[in-house]
């Protein structure tokens, strides 16, 4: 109820979004890092048998190590290894961020945004360096 002579501010309308509107909705960096933290953990869990198989092939004998080198030199295997590097690095960096935030440091909006962006930058910097090394650029 508005009193005469005062202005009422129009309230923002909050509504549920439809699935077709998801592409128009912009997530903050903190949400992207949090979602990707879950995705990277799931990716590492799914690829655990592949990781264990490669580990077994690399340490069993000289012949199995040669077999491991053959598997690891395949371009598809390199992409899977690169996905695992991304998953590990993102999960590690985001996990450190979450641990720091659990100590009530960096909870304000600006600090949370900066730490989320730093997680993304560090993760992608390491992944790019590993990709360059993995695909033989240097």
């Amino acid at each position: 109820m508005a009193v005469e002579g005062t202005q009422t501010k129009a309230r923002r309308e909050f509504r549920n979004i439809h699935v077709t509107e998801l592409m128009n909705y912009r997530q903050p960096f903190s949400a992207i890092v949090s979602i990707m933290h879950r995705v990277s953990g799931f990716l590492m869990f799914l690829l655990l048998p592949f990781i264990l198989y490669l580990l077994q092939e690399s340490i069993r004998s000289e012949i199995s190590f040669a077999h491991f080198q053959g598997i690891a030199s395949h371009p598809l295997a390199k992409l899977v290894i690169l996905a695992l590097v991304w998953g590990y690095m993102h999960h590690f960096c985001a996990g450190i961020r979450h641990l720091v935030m659990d100590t009530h440091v960096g909870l304000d909006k600006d600090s949370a945004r900066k730490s989320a962006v730093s997680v993304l930058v560090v993760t992608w910097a390491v992944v790019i360096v590993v990709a360059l090394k993995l695909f033989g650029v240097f």
Side-chain angles (χ1 to χ4, degrees), residues 24-69:
N24 299 331
Y25 185 73
R26 186 168 173 258
Q27 292 278 354
F29 285 117
S30 297
I32 293 170
V33 167
S34 180
I35 291 167
M36 296 312 288
H37 183 72
R38 290 178 175 90
V39 169
S40 63
F42 184 69
L43 175 75
M44 289 189 300
F45 175 75
L46 269 183
L47 293 177
L48 187 62
F50 180 70
I51 296 168
L52 293 176
Y53 174 72
L54 288 181
L55 178 65
Q56 172 190 338
E57 289 298 305
S58 70
I59 62 174
R60 190 169 46 178
S61 67
E62 290 180 26
I63 295 171
S64 67
F65 183 72
H67 185 249
F68 162 75
Q69 286 178 322

Side-chain angles (χ1 to χ4, degrees), residues 28-38 88-123:
F29 285 117
S30 297
I32 293 170
V33 167
S34 180
I35 291 167
M36 296 312 288
H37 183 72
R38 290 178 175 90
Y88 176 76
M89 281 310 302
H90 185 82
H91 203 74
F92 178 78
C93 292
I96 296 294
R97 176 181 180 261
H98 289 303
L99 284 174
V100 169
M101 291 176 79
D102 284 344
T103 63
H104 303 286
V105 174
L107 293 179
D108 59 293
K109 189 176 181 179
D110 190 46
S111 297
R113 184 180 185 285
K114 286 178 183 175
S115 66
V117 169
S118 66
V119 164
L120 293 173
V121 167
V122 168
T123 299

